[in-house]
Amino acid sequence: MRQTPASAVLALLVNTSAHAQELQHVLADKADRFPRLNFTSPAPLIFHSTFGLLQQWPNTFFQNGHTIAACTLEKNTNLYHARGDSSFPPSPEWFGLDAEMSYFIAGAMPDSHLLTYRTTKDVKCLYFDGTSASLMDDGSMDAQMLLLHNNSANVPDRPAFGPPPRHDNGGRHFCGHDDRDANCTHWNPLQAEYDRASGLCDFIAEKKLGGPGWGYEGVVRMNAAFELIWCNFSSPSARLVSWLNVSAPLLDGVESDRRPWEAEMLEDGNAEPGPPTAPPRRGAPSGGGGTRWPGRDHPFQAYSVYEWFHAAAKRYGFVGGFPGRGEARISIDSGGLFTFYDPSLEHQASARAQLETELYNLTAAGYWPSPADPIERQSALAHLTRRRRAQRAVNVSAVDGLYMRAEVEDRMRAALGTASDGCSGVDWLLTIQEIVTSYGGDLYDLSNLLSENLSLADGEQLRSRLARSREVVHGRWIPFYEYPQYTDDRLETSFAPSARESQAALERCRTQYQPCDMDELSASEQTTYAAVAEVLGAICGTLLPVLLSIEQLWLANFNNASAPPPEATSPVYKELELTLSNNKRAVEELMAWLGWADQWTACTPGCDLGQVCYIPIWPVMGMGRGRGGPPGKGRGYGYPPRRPGGMNAMHDYLSEPTCVDAEHYPPS
Ligand SMILES: *[C@@H]1O[C@H](CO)[C@@H](O)[C@H](O)[C@H]1NC(C)=O
Ligand SMILES: *[C@@H]1O[C@H](CO)[C@@H](O)[C@H](O)[C@H]1NC(C)=O
Ligand SMILES: *[C@@H]1O[C@H](CO)[C@@H](O)[C@H](O)[C@H]1NC(C)=O
Ligand SMILES: *[C@@H]1O[C@H](CO)[C@@H](O)[C@H](O)[C@H]1NC(C)=O
Ligand SMILES: *[C@@H]1O[C@H](CO)[C@@H](O)[C@H](O)[C@H]1NC(C)=O
Ligand SMILES: *[C@@H]1O[C@H](CO)[C@@H](O)[C@H](O)[C@H]1NC(C)=O
Ligand SMILES: *[C@@H]1O[C@H](CO)[C@@H](O)[C@H](O)[C@H]1NC(C)=O
Ligand SMILES: *[C@@H]1O[C@H](CO)[C@@H](O)[C@H](O)[C@H]1NC(C)=O
Ligand SMILES: *[C@@H]1O[C@H](CO)[C@@H](O)[C@H](O)[C@H]1NC(C)=O
């Protein structure tokens, strides 16, 4: 790396207009100290999706799950199942981990029952991340469908949930989502869900990975809060502890309203509505015998929507870079994760790289050339930071699919054994969450500190701004950096990235979570650790030149506390501004590459006690009293609202969330 002595830089800066070109060189030279970030690399994607597992907040921002994980449901956990009749649940059926969810879905019928089960032991489960229980055709369900159907070409093109199928040529109606059931007259909008549930339970049974009382017994997914597909209600692993009739007396003098899909069916005019009592074939999530979400004659209609949302918000997990508990009743076996970002899925990986290279103007090496215009740059950075939102596992070839099925099965089986079975015992979720805890907030602070408009400030203000940036960046190097012995005329060399102390610090930083015995890592752990190492390489590699350039500037010009700062006309300020600007650009690009958008989005100002920060979560996003009275057709309920801009307007809250309470829910 070429070095330019400080004196030469200063000489150049004395007459900037005459030496503009040389100055550019100096800057380019300094910008070169930052590592080039590879935006087609899967490392930041694997890292951040692993970070978010079992947390409501990150998985709402990044709805298209890419991870399949073995998990464990804790012993003595309560599970809730509501249904619209007094029969014993068929299998498979759904449990909510929160009674609020079950109650809203099936607790408001004329004969609603809430069954509470309690686990009698730790129970193995299979977890799909993202909003894997949101019945939308947006990519939320890609991973489940791939596990069921092997590869992208095999995944049937059927709605997850939506308007009923059209007439076929013979004028029959389909039932569910295929035509096996040629005689049925009522369409079950949840048929695809039941097919998925049985398919996943069959996978477990066929592969001999579990059954009633042993091994894997359920599938964990998330929409508003976490739910469980329970494969067999006769299993001794969950004991029925109460069975209550939870139907509440309805309000008098208010007309009830229709079930939402009936309204849709009538409106579309493409299906027989069926009598209002026609039950879906088996039931509904967390309920059976037909689902009727609380109508306007239900006394708890509005509040129960808020309660469901609130149950989800309690499982937000990390917010603003601060550690928070997500769904803590379930834990992940982090030694056996499977990710659709795994580079071994060759077609899937190359299709993503190809698509994003085009979408984000990346070079063949995966580098991002920033647009010159600052406004365009900011908007491009925002898109890059959120690029995981658009990513889908839809390019899984037959070969990719065989690898995936085999790996998922192997990893599930390994997780059935003792903790030492093939895995090192490192908790990778904890490792990754520690890294986000450590750097998430400081990167954000640093990008803001470096953004301040320097030309407005006087010498003392500049000194204090530089001091603040210095403090923040130094904080991240405490465990790694030893100051070199230096003299004032050798600052440039002593604080060069190539200096011995700098290189040693970089190495300590990059390897801060390297397991002592790398031979212990399973195949899954090797993929996870490769992502951790690349992410730490990018963070440490970017923060090192930031640290060194600030130290150098500080020690050369501002370190004498009893001396006044340099004169306002001093060329030092030009150098300062340029250094900070280079640092700022590097930190911004690092943040975009990392993509921790969920951690850099918050309710500002923060919420009062009793309030909660609102982001739109399917399906409760558009429901509630706040939107002009009771919910009716087209207000959420699993359908994009039909009003122009409906769903998009709600999605704006993902950029600017806002505080709500029961009285002001949803925000309007
Ligand atoms: C960037 O990452 C992609 C995907 O892993 C890889 O194919 C490519 O070679 C990388 N680019 C560089 C310059 O290493
Ligand atoms: C559930 O388990 C019981 C008892 O082992 C068994 O008889 C029944 O067939 C199982 N049901 C399903 C759907 O697997
Ligand atoms: C449950 O309670 C509701 C409301 O009180 C009542 O109409 C219904 O008959 C009850 N069901 C049973 C099985 O007792
Ligand atoms: C998926 O692949 C497995 C293993 O090759 C095969 O047994 C199964 O029938 C396939 N399933 C589908 C839906 O194609
Ligand atoms: C449909 O109904 C006809 C007449 O009742 C019957 O013969 C046929 O087996 C039924 N088909 C199916 C798939 O149930
Ligand atoms: C990836 O899948 C999408 C959706 O099916 C398709 O449009 C695209 O052409 C595929 N890309 C590649 C490289 O196969
Ligand atoms: C890609 O290039 C277009 C056209 O120059 C520009 O508008 C857009 O912001 C760029 N996108 C990114 C992510 O750099
Ligand atoms: C910084 O302040 C100067 C002087 O007021 C102004 O001309 C310039 O536009 C500001 N720059 C930014 C990025 O706000
Ligand atoms: C610090 O500044 C004071 C006041 O200008 C000066 O007297 C002193 O010599 C300086 N100390 C050093 C170590 O440069």
Side-chain angles (χ1 to χ4, degrees):
M1 190 159 297
R2 280 175 298 151
Q3 293 301 322
T4 313
S7 53
V9 177
L10 294 187
L12 278 175
L13 287 164
V14 172
N15 189 345
T16 47
S17 56
H19 297 280
Q21 263 192 312
E22 286 93 324
L23 181 61
Q24 285 306 313
H25 280 303
V26 175
L27 286 179
D29 206 31
K30 297 212 161 178
D32 269 357
R33 296 174 174 191
F34 295 106
R36 302 294 315 258
L37 299 172
N38 184 352
F39 281 85
T40 54
S41 164
L45 315 173
I46 294 174
F47 183 95
H48 188 259
S49 62
T50 306
F51 158 74
L53 299 179
L54 291 177
Q55 300 180 53
Q56 180 81 42
W57 182 270
N59 280 301
T60 305
F61 280 78
F62 298 103
Q63 75 286 7
N64 297 342
H66 277 67
T67 304
I68 303 180
C71 57
T72 306
L73 177 65
E74 296 295 319
K75 178 175 179 172
N76 217 30
T77 297
N78 288 317
L79 302 167
Y80 304 95
H81 175 83
R83 48 192 305 106
D85 59 36
S86 52
S87 63
F88 187 78
S91 293
E93 256 293 345
W94 277 258
F95 276 130
L97 273 93
D98 300 293
E100 294 90 334
M101 179 198 249
S102 306
Y103 184 75
F104 186 87
I105 293 175
M109 280 170 269
D111 189 18
S112 275
H113 295 259
L114 182 71
L115 288 72
T116 302
Y117 284 72
R118 193 166 298 152
T119 50
T120 56
K121 54 186 260 207
D122 285 359
V123 183
K124 282 280 170 219
C125 47
L126 186 62
Y127 167 56
F128 292 91
D129 73 336
T131 55
S132 47
S134 107
L135 306 180
M136 303 279 286
D137 299 303
D138 61 354
S140 297
M141 299 213 157
D142 288 345
Q144 291 160 75
M145 295 307 272
L146 283 163
L147 184 63
L148 288 176
H149 299 283
N150 289 357
N151 56 59
S152 298
N154 267 1
V155 172
D157 185 19
R158 291 174 199 158
F161 178 69
R166 313 270 150 180
H167 292 284
D168 73 355
N169 290 337
R172 288 175 301 152
H173 286 101
F174 295 158
C175 269
H177 291 284
D178 61 38
D179 53 3
R180 273 175 306 193
D181 223 351
N183 288 345
C184 67
T185 48
H186 300 299
W187 171 64
N188 178 1
L190 291 166
Q191 189 56 46
E193 270 291 86
Y194 281 96
D195 291 347
R196 263 186 296 275
S198 335
L200 292 167
C201 290
D202 289 350
F203 175 84
I204 290 169
E206 276 163 24
K207 302 291 178 190
K208 303 202 167 20
L209 288 164
W214 74 279
Y216 293 84
E217 298 198 64
V219 178
V220 173
R221 309 186 308 171
M222 185 196 95
N223 53 46
F226 290 81
E227 59 161 49
L228 184 68
I229 294 169
W230 191 241
C231 292
N232 196 320
F233 274 69
S234 308
S235 167
S237 303
R239 186 174 300 156
L240 180 63
V241 293
S242 70
W243 188 333
L244 309 179
N245 181 346
V246 290
S247 297
L250 297 181
L251 297 174
D252 290 330
V254 186
E255 227 181 280
S256 180
D257 41 2
R258 257 178 229 283
R259 280 186 255 165
W261 60 81
E262 286 170 2
E264 292 289 327
M265 285 162 78
L266 283 173
E267 188 168 289
D268 288 354
N270 62 358
E272 296 159 1
T277 50
R281 202 174 71 198
R282 271 193 284 175
S286 314
T291 293
R292 186 169 72 178
W293 292 356
R296 59 185 109 225
D297 54 349
H298 197 276
F300 305 119
Q301 183 216 34
Y303 193 69
S304 62
V305 183
Y306 179 72
E307 283 221 302
W308 186 4
F309 161 77
H310 206 222
K314 289 170 187 169
R315 312 294 166 182
Y316 271 166
F318 277 56
V319 179
F322 278 87
R325 259 177 135 188
E327 180 45 85
R329 291 164 287 188
I330 299 169
S331 58
I332 297 283
D333 287 293
S334 70
L337 305 173
F338 177 82
T339 168
F340 281 95
Y341 292 123
D342 186 334
S344 304
L345 299 168
E346 286 180 17
H347 188 69
Q348 169 67 21
S350 71
R352 176 178 46 76
Q354 194 182 317
L355 181 69
E356 296 202 336
T357 298
E358 215 171 293
L359 210 54
Y360 305 121
N361 319 324
L362 308 179
T363 69
Y367 303 143
W368 176 66
S370 170
D373 177 64
I375 293 170
E376 227 176 272
R377 173 181 159 86
Q378 287 311 318
S379 132
L381 284 167
H383 279 106
L384 283 168
T385 311
R386 291 172 177 241
R387 67 193 182 284
R388 278 191 60 225
R389 274 182 70 71
Q391 290 167 355
R392 292 190 59 174
V394 288
N395 297 96
V396 175
S397 66
V399 175
D400 290 350
L402 285 175
Y403 168 80
M404 177 268 298
R405 286 268 294 213
E407 286 299 315
V408 170
E409 185 187 336
D410 279 1
R411 294 173 193 192
M412 284 174 76
R413 201 175 307 284
L416 276 179
T418 59
S420 62
D421 254 11
C423 292
S424 66
V426 173
D427 183 341
W428 291 103
L429 233 60
L430 181 64
T431 300
I432 286 178
Q433 291 175 351
E434 282 303 308
I435 294 168
V436 174
T437 304
S438 179
Y439 293 101
D442 279 359
L443 286 175
Y444 181 83
D445 287 350
L446 206 50
S447 74
N448 281 335
L449 278 173
L450 299 172
S451 297
E452 305 219 28
N453 191 343
L454 294 175
S455 44
L456 288 174
D458 66 17
E460 280 301 346
Q461 277 178 320
L462 283 173
R463 190 211 293 261
S464 79
R465 283 180 194 182
L466 188 62
R468 295 241 2 250
S469 309
R470 185 180 186 230
E471 286 159 1
V472 172
V473 72
H474 174 261
R476 298 282 47 86
W477 285 98
I478 290 170
F480 313 123
Y481 188 67
E482 262 183 335
Y483 278 92
Q485 300 290 333
Y486 69 92
T487 52
D488 285 350
D489 58 337
R490 291 189 47 79
L491 282 175
E492 184 91 19
T493 347
S494 306
F495 291 93
S498 55
R500 189 173 46 82
E501 291 80 1
S502 311
Q503 285 298 307
L506 180 61
E507 188 59 13
R508 287 181 203 109
C509 181
R510 285 193 314 111
T511 58
Q512 59 183 287
Y513 284 104
Q514 182 171 304
C516 297
D517 194 350
M518 288 289 284
D519 296 343
E520 288 181 339
L521 302 192
S522 67
S524 158
E525 291 182 288
Q526 286 170 22
T527 307
T528 308
Y529 183 66
V532 169
E534 194 174 325
V535 163
L536 283 174
I539 294 175
C540 303
T542 302
L543 289 185
L544 182 71
V546 175
L547 170 84
L548 298 173
S549 59
I550 290 178
E551 285 301 323
Q552 220 174 295
L553 265 172
W554 179 267
L555 294 172
N557 304 291
F558 298 96
N559 202 41
N560 188 339
S562 54
E567 297 275 317
T569 52
S570 161
V572 166
Y573 293 115
K574 199 74 199 156
E575 196 197 355
L576 178 68
E577 194 169 349
L578 296 167
T579 302
L580 294 194
S581 156
N582 270 343
N583 286 340
K584 173 191 155 212
R585 291 172 70 89
V587 170
E588 282 174 348
E589 288 172 26
L590 172 66
M591 289 170 74
W593 183 79
L594 292 170
W596 305 347
D598 50 304
Q599 296 306 306
W600 299 318
T601 305
C603 279
T604 318
C607 303
D608 283 344
L609 272 177
Q611 292 184 321
V612 56
C613 187
Y614 172 87
I615 48 172
I617 306 175
W618 191 94
V620 294
M621 58 218 299
M623 299 183 208
R625 71 180 126 219
R627 302 199 77 75
K633 136 179 93 78
R635 276 203 193 84
Y637 281 134
Y639 295 104
R642 300 208 158 187
R643 280 160 309 161
M647 196 65 107
N648 288 339
M650 296 311 287
H651 277 154
D652 288 346
Y653 288 114
L654 270 191
S655 308
E656 287 182 44
T658 187
C659 300
V660 295
D661 55 26
E663 289 300 314
H664 306 90
Y665 180 89
S668 44

